[in-house]
Amino acid sequence: MRPLQQTRFGGPDAPLAEQGNCLQACLASLFDLTLDEAFDCFQHTEGAWFLHFERWLADRNLACAIVPYDEKLTGWIQGYHLIVTMSPRLEGEHHMVVGHNGSVCFDPHPDAERDGPGQVKAFWLLTVRDPALQQKR
């Protein structure tokens, strides 16, 4: 994992080109990509960005399992994953951070040290789609 900070910070009322790219920065960090190489949900403005995200993951033989936050799960979850939090900067909005073994390990926002990651809402676990394909790589 190579931490990479987000570069856009606008909320849902900002123009699409200015809305926060925390998910993109988290994916770039996890997969050691540039921001341009990582999935950006705001390139898919027709409202079905999550379907495009699933296709982007499928191209990497991955899928995303969304698990609502439960404190009991933090010891069960292993490896790197994504964590949805409530944004500490934009009231009522979500924020994405990188997790490791059930805990936040990297927040892509430059003010993360000052503000903290926010209240955890869900884990996005990136899982192998087809284990047989993994064996061949």
Side-chain angles (χ1 to χ4, degrees), residues 4-22 24-25 35 42 87 89-91 93-95 107-112 114-115:
L4 189 63
Q5 289 187 337
Q6 68 186 88
T7 56
R8 298 189 316 254
F9 309 98
D13 295 332
L16 282 178
E18 297 172 16
Q19 290 186 15
N21 63 338
C22 53
Q24 184 182 27
L35 279 176
F42 297 113
S87 172
R89 290 161 289 277
L90 296 171
E91 186 175 337
E93 297 301 321
H94 291 106
H95 179 55
D107 184 334
H109 197 284
D111 294 333
R114 181 191 72 204
D115 299 336

Side-chain angles (χ1 to χ4, degrees), residues 36-105:
D36 289 337
E37 294 171 315
F39 177 81
D40 181 3
C41 58
F42 297 113
Q43 289 180 353
H44 307 283
T45 58
E46 65 280 358
W49 71 265
F50 197 82
L51 294 175
H52 292 280
F53 176 55
E54 287 180 319
R55 281 190 215 124
W56 187 85
L57 289 173
D59 289 344
R60 291 154 179 78
N61 194 31
L62 296 170
C64 180
I66 299 174
V67 180
Y69 175 74
D70 183 329
E71 189 175 335
K72 296 176 213 149
L73 294 175
T74 57
W76 171 81
I77 295 173
Q78 298 296 303
Y80 286 104
H81 48 87
L82 301 171
I83 298 177
V84 178
T85 70
M86 293 308 296
S87 172
R89 290 161 289 277
L90 296 171
E91 186 175 337
E93 297 301 321
H94 291 106
H95 179 55
M96 190 69 74
V97 299
V98 177
H100 187 257
N101 296 341
S103 298
V104 174
C105 72

